[in-house]
Amino acid sequence: MAVLILVIAVVGVALVGTVAGLLVRGRRPKPLPNTHTDVIVSPPPAADTDTDVPPVELSSPPATLEPTLEPEAPTVPPLERPEPTASRLVRLRQRLAGSQGGFGRGLLALLSRDRLDEDTWESIEDVLLTADIGVAATQQVVEGLRTRMRVEGGAAPDARTALREELVKLVDPAMDRRLQVSGSDGKPGVVLVVGVNGSGKTTTVGKLARILVAEERTVTLGAADTFRAAAVDQLATWGERVGVEVVRGNEGTDPASVAFDAVKDGVDNGVDTVIVDTAGRLQNKAGLMDELGKVKRVIEKQAPVTEVLLVLDATTGQNGLVQARVFSEVVDVTGVVLTKLDGSAKGGIVVSVQRELGVPVKLVGLGEGPDDLAPFDAEAFVDALLG
Ligand SMILES: Nc1nc2c(ncn2[C@@H]2O[C@H](COP(=O)(O)OP(=O)(O)OP(=O)(O)O)[C@@H](O)[C@H]2O)c(=O)[nH]1
């Protein structure tokens, strides 16, 4: 009997050991999932990534087989990737050629005539004046061309080269067109954007932010156009699309206080550039001077303004030039943004505005698309004019 009990005990111990061994092996730790996270936060996943993520089961199906709720789709849209500046120029040159080609081609046709009589020279002058190049510049270019044609003896075959060289000289490739978007002493660069309502200011601020984001710079926007609530919302949308913070005030808030807050925010967060949109109501010169003067003064309590961009609508012609003059008397304009060049055949305004203000055109707007803003280049511009 004792032997029997002993045998049962030995078999029992052996069985328990085997089962325990199996259990321990079953609990052996699985390899850990990869917990490494990127230092750079990636944009929210695009719509097609949901194929990688199994649907979340909210609860086990109830006995009554009621329909289960689908998890809600995330509402945050993915961040956009703005187009790099280099490819913009190639794409937008076509658009520039489309709107300005008539002007350049008209000049070329006149210059290529067998006989360049006085009537032809007058027609050449008319074409230049119609394109808004301005009287003095027109005379300069006609003089230059007449001299060359005399010296070189006749029009064709070199009319294109001569015209190109004269126009490039006029547009002045030597002007420094770089945007001052960097600050010093660890402070952000501050770009103040001014111009009359409707010239495309807010749109330009949004597009410029995209250019800077494409160049991997960090940006904060200041919606100091508190005169028009829609402009503030418009800017907020531009910012959201590329993940750029927009500092805003309520409608009617003092624009200077919004500008101050935006630049302070930029300094505190160590961003590269703060761009400030302004209202710029051209009610009268004194009022404008007060408003923009104050905006600039309060900004400079935080960081120096590195660039003042005047936005001008190319379709407004001579009227735009009058506005440009008033703004440049009120604030030190350092660069011009010429918008809506796609909708105007008056590309000559580039020349007149540069002569009028003595500051370079730095950017051109060539459409309503988010990336339809490009750095201005004198030679590419003239080539587009000549088609
Ligand atoms: N075709 C074309 N349209 C443009 C261009 N730039 C701006 N626009 C349009 O011009 C209109 C006015 O632009 P906004 O940016 O709202 O003008 P704004 O100067 O900020 O006007 P306020 O906010 O009233 O001060 C909008 O419909 C823009 O889409 C451009 O280069 N080409």
Side-chain angles (χ1 to χ4, degrees):
M1 186 63 186
V3 173
L4 187 62
I5 290 170
L6 192 64
V7 169
I8 290 170
V10 168
V11 170
V13 167
L15 267 174
V16 168
T18 311
V19 171
L22 281 173
L23 283 177
V24 169
R25 232 171 288 142
R27 284 198 204 125
R28 204 165 278 160
K30 288 182 192 158
L32 283 174
N34 185 4
T35 53
H36 164 79
T37 46
D38 288 329
V39 178
I40 299 170
V41 180
S42 327
D48 65 345
T49 48
D50 58 1
T51 48
D52 300 328
V53 184
V56 179
E57 207 176 281
L58 290 178
S59 57
S60 42
T64 51
L65 288 178
E66 278 175 10
T68 49
L69 288 175
E70 284 291 314
E72 270 185 28
T75 51
V76 183
L79 291 185
E80 294 178 14
R81 272 180 201 280
E83 182 185 358
T85 39
S87 55
R88 287 168 190 236
L89 281 170
V90 178
R91 178 172 59 84
L92 296 175
R93 213 183 118 177
Q94 310 295 331
R95 210 168 284 175
L96 193 58
S99 65
Q100 310 294 327
F103 151 52
R105 278 194 297 274
L107 281 178
L108 265 185
L110 287 165
L111 271 177
S112 308
R113 285 184 181 172
D114 289 339
R115 227 170 64 80
L116 290 171
D117 55 16
E118 281 310 309
D119 282 353
T120 310
W121 284 113
E122 251 176 52
S123 304
I124 290 174
E125 270 183 24
D126 287 346
V127 174
L128 289 164
L129 287 172
T130 311
D132 264 345
I133 277 193
V135 177
T138 296
Q139 276 161 6
Q140 183 188 321
V141 87
V142 168
E143 277 313 307
L145 286 170
R146 287 183 92 134
T147 311
R148 286 185 72 142
M149 294 306 181
R150 256 197 317 272
V151 173
E152 288 167 21
D158 231 359
R160 192 179 200 283
T161 313
L163 182 59
R164 184 184 187 277
E165 283 176 15
E166 290 302 318
L167 290 177
V168 168
K169 224 191 290 171
L170 214 58
V171 182
D172 197 353
M175 279 183 149
D176 185 0
R177 299 178 198 277
R178 286 170 300 177
L179 287 172
Q180 302 300 325
V181 291
S182 299
S184 47
D185 303 330
K187 294 192 170 161
V190 179
V191 181
L192 190 61
V193 180
V194 303
V196 290
N197 292 357
S199 57
K201 237 173 330 103
T202 305
T203 311
T204 297
V205 171
K207 288 176 177 174
L208 179 56
R210 295 176 69 95
I211 287 187
L212 299 180
V213 167
E215 290 178 359
E216 307 207 332
R217 301 180 64 89
T218 49
V219 182
T220 294
L221 300 181
D225 182 355
T226 54
F227 182 64
R228 196 170 67 90
V232 176
D233 294 338
Q234 200 181 322
L235 202 60
T237 307
W238 279 99
E240 267 166 29
R241 290 169 70 174
V242 285
V244 159
E245 193 184 339
V246 180
V247 175
R248 53 191 290 175
N250 294 326
E251 191 175 353
T253 313
D254 182 2
S257 86
V258 179
F260 179 88
D261 288 347
V263 177
K264 182 170 186 321
D265 197 88
V267 171
D268 293 349
N269 292 326
V271 300
D272 298 319
T273 312
V274 181
I275 315 175
V276 179
D277 189 17
T278 60
R281 278 160 294 149
L282 198 56
Q283 66 285 61
N284 60 54
K285 196 170 145 188
L288 185 73
M289 199 176 281
D290 279 355
E291 184 183 308
L292 291 182
K294 188 172 168 198
V295 167
K296 192 154 184 265
R297 269 196 314 280
V298 300
I299 287 177
E300 294 201 320
K301 289 183 180 171
Q302 300 281 338
V305 171
T306 50
E307 181 86 56
V308 179
L309 290 177
L310 171 64
V311 179
L312 269 190
D313 176 343
T315 62
T316 57
Q318 294 302 315
N319 193 21
L321 283 188
V322 175
Q323 296 164 4
R325 205 177 302 131
V326 176
F327 274 94
S328 69
E329 286 165 8
V330 168
V331 64
D332 258 339
V333 175
T334 54
V336 173
V337 182
L338 213 49
T339 58
K340 311 186 195 179
L341 259 185
D342 54 309
S344 158
K346 295 175 176 287
I349 196 164
V350 168
V351 175
S352 17
V353 75
Q354 289 188 159
R355 289 188 157 220
E356 180 74 34
L357 306 186
V359 296
V361 170
K362 294 191 170 177
L363 294 162
V364 282
L366 286 156
E368 297 198 63
D371 291 326
D372 290 347
L373 182 76
F376 182 76
D377 175 85
E379 304 212 4
F381 176 71
V382 171
D383 285 338
L385 289 187
L386 297 178

